[in-house]
């Protein structure tokens, strides 16, 4: 599943003519393109889908949505370790060193 997730802009820079930001999604930081929201600023929240900030969001709405996603396990599904998730889907148990 691919969610549109709210995140907080931590920093903004221009890379090769494209406005990019580091965005915090409840503890997971990802790089996001800001071309659809050119006036978004550090400290503001946005809804992000497939690496693009699509809509500005107020802090309270972002916090509530992130809490709900976390309760439902959707953040782990969206941002979890891909190797761990693939192993779980394949039915492979975690191998631990002695």
């Amino acid at each position: 599943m691919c969610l549109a997730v709210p995140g907080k802009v931590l920093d903004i820079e221009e890379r090769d003519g494209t406005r990019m930001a580091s965005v915090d999604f409840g503890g997971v930081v990802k790089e996001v393109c800001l071309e659809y929201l050119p006036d978004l600023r550090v400290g503001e929240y946005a809804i992000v889908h497939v690496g693009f900030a699509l809509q500005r969001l107020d802090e309270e709405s972002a916090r509530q949505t992130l809490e709900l996603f976390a309760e439902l396990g959707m953040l782990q599904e969206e941002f979890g370790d891909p190797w761990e998730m693939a192993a779980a889907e394949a039915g492979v148990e975690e191998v631990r060193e002695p």
Side-chain angles (χ1 to χ4, degrees):
M1 179 184 339
C2 200
L3 297 173
V5 181
K8 181 178 183 178
V9 177
L10 300 177
D11 62 54
I12 298 172
E13 64 181 54
E14 191 159 319
R15 288 191 217 137
D16 299 321
T18 302
R19 199 158 180 260
M20 299 292 292
S22 294
V23 177
D24 180 8
F25 301 96
V28 176
V29 177
K30 298 279 186 176
E31 294 300 305
V32 172
C33 179
L34 300 182
E35 291 299 303
Y36 295 131
L37 295 175
D39 59 342
L40 195 65
R41 303 208 185 285
V42 171
E44 291 186 312
Y45 289 80
I47 298 289
V48 176
H49 181 63
V50 294
F52 290 87
L54 300 177
Q55 181 178 350
R56 184 175 276 107
L57 187 66
D58 66 275
E59 183 175 358
E60 181 61 20
S61 295
R63 186 188 61 72
Q64 288 176 352
T65 303
L66 285 169
E67 286 176 5
L68 178 61
F69 283 0
E71 286 175 27
L72 297 172
M74 296 173 86
L75 288 179
Q76 179 63 24
E77 183 178 321
E78 187 71 11
F79 297 122
D81 182 328
W83 295 108
E84 183 181 303
M85 292 182 342
E89 287 177 13
V92 177
E93 291 189 32
E94 183 178 337
V95 177
R96 296 191 182 254
E97 296 294 321

